Amino acid sequence: MRDALAAGSNAPGYPLTAGNPHLRAAITAWFAATCGADLPGLGVLPTIGSKELVGWLPTLLGIGPGDTVVIPEIGYPTYEVGVTLAGARAVRSDSLTALGPERVRLVWINSPSNPTGRVLPAAHLRKVVDWARERGAIVASDECYLPLGWEAEPVSVLAPEVRGDSYTGILAVHSLSKRSNLAGYRGGFLGGDPAIVSEILAVRKHAGMIVPEPVQDAMTAALGDEQHVTEQRARYADRRERLRAALTAAGFRVEHSEAGLYLWSTRDEDCWETVGWLAERGILVAPGAFYGPAGVKHVRVALTASDARVDEAVRRLS
Ligand SMILES: Cc1ncc(COP(=O)(O)O)c(C=O)c1O
């Protein structure tokens, strides 16, 4: 990836917002191989990391005041930020049947979830897609942790059992930050309904949301290789086992967490108490309250520290 970045550094011209042909082919092939998106006509687009897309998708789709967007009950804070930037209303809900008659324009889902690590089964995803299609809403599925399943096999919204025989009304949002440890490069991408993707592309072109050419080349290299993903997965799996055992021995209960980069942990007390108890031991975790009111009794423990820091955390927990 670094070699591809360096080799692409003589890039004085403007890059293509849609992605250069090599990157577009790499994204398309990856979606087919990893997500089951093997129908022809998949719309694809690179993004400047996926946070940028999460933060601006409602605006890019023309969603605004008077519109409703459904976001996960406990979720990555940028979903709500994006809805707020667009001037629309965010409704936190994991159950669409609980919603009233209001017109929903967009539904965000996130499986595997940040912060809970919960994986939504294909049947659940299918219900969300059917519900949205009946109402003309768009489903945006943030799947940046898809390659990191531990005790469950995460399914993409683009898989045949979820999307049926078309990509109508669905977008899958991905990132190389997690899969390839490439957060510093800002490499994300999306795939889905070609009509929606081309609308998003049209706006992004004029808004200047363009992935730099050398980063496009590094992304192409990353998507063409699975070995580094397997190696990095093994490191995370090992940290996860050690941290989970240490947390459990220290009286925590770890819930969900069957995939992704976090252990969603609780001692059945207010999250700030837990954050304080861990901070006294020099261990930094995220309070569940950051992710929504339903998270107030949990903390999010990340697997992203180095092996040496994880060893030290395990020692301090014991
Ligand atoms: C659920 C989720 N979506 C999107 C992102 C954004 O990642 P990036 O902008 O690095 O692709 C993150 C990062 O933590 C995340 O947890």
Side-chain angles (χ1 to χ4, degrees):
M1 294 175 235
R2 291 174 62 189
D3 287 347
L5 184 87
S9 65
N10 184 13
Y14 280 100
L16 289 172
T17 310
N20 68 38
H22 302 295
L23 176 57
R24 293 183 61 77
I27 294 174
T28 306
W30 186 87
F31 267 127
T34 311
C35 298
D38 50 6
L39 286 178
L42 179 74
V44 298
L45 193 61
T47 59
I48 312 161
S50 65
K51 186 177 181 109
E52 163 273 287
L53 195 268
V54 174
W56 292 105
L57 184 66
T59 303
L60 294 170
L61 293 171
I63 290 169
D67 292 329
T68 296
V69 177
V70 179
I71 62 172
E73 179 125 23
I74 299 177
Y76 180 57
T78 311
Y79 305 122
E80 187 174 27
V81 170
V83 180
T84 306
L85 285 171
R89 190 170 86 91
V91 175
R92 288 184 183 274
S93 179
D94 293 335
S95 156
L96 295 170
T97 47
L99 292 172
E102 60 200 299
R103 181 156 174 253
V104 172
R105 294 280 311 275
L106 174 67
V107 180
W108 271 112
I109 48 177
N110 174 220
S111 168
S113 153
N114 172 12
T116 68
R118 181 171 163 211
V119 172
L120 299 175
H124 179 114
L125 298 174
R126 177 81 209 209
K127 273 191 199 149
V128 174
V129 168
D130 288 346
W131 184 96
R133 280 179 176 162
E134 275 165 26
R135 288 160 182 79
I138 294 170
V139 176
S141 176
D142 181 349
E143 305 181 349
C144 64
Y145 297 100
L146 194 91
L148 294 164
W150 312 115
E151 284 147 27
E153 183 90 40
V155 181
S156 170
V157 78
L158 301 179
E161 62 269 41
V162 180
R163 51 126 162 119
D165 57 9
S166 87
Y167 299 123
T168 304
I170 54 181
L171 297 172
V173 176
H174 283 266
S175 171
L176 294 176
S177 298
K178 329 290 173 184
R179 172 191 180 271
S180 301
N181 259 20
L182 217 55
Y185 282 38
R186 310 310 301 132
F189 56 99
L190 60 86
D193 188 324
I196 301 171
V197 174
S198 80
E199 279 298 310
I200 294 171
L201 170 62
V203 182
R204 290 176 66 85
K205 273 185 192 172
H206 294 287
M209 295 167 152
I210 316 173
V211 177
E213 187 76 21
V215 174
Q216 294 197 24
D217 292 342
M219 289 175 70
T220 304
L223 287 165
D225 180 71
E226 288 297 328
Q227 194 190 329
H228 73 283
V229 182
T230 307
E231 283 173 18
Q232 187 62 23
R233 263 183 65 94
R235 288 186 195 106
Y236 287 134
D238 181 55
R239 290 175 197 162
R240 180 175 178 274
E241 284 314 314
R242 282 185 292 144
L243 273 174
R244 188 163 65 169
L247 286 164
T248 308
F252 285 82
R253 202 169 67 249
V254 176
E255 291 179 355
H256 299 302
S257 309
E258 57 262 20
L261 288 181
Y262 311 103
L263 293 168
W264 186 236
S265 309
T266 181
R267 297 202 309 180
D268 296 313
E269 64 187 4
D270 184 88
C271 60
W272 292 107
E273 298 257 328
T274 316
V275 167
W277 187 86
L278 289 164
E280 279 162 17
R281 287 153 183 81
I283 298 172
L284 184 65
V285 299
F290 277 6
Y291 306 94
V296 291
K297 294 213 161 158
H298 288 74
V299 294
R300 192 196 75 168
V301 183
L303 310 178
T304 50
S306 66
D307 287 340
R309 303 309 294 160
V310 168
D311 284 343
E312 183 58 20
V314 167
R315 194 187 64 76
R316 292 180 192 184
L317 278 169
S318 64

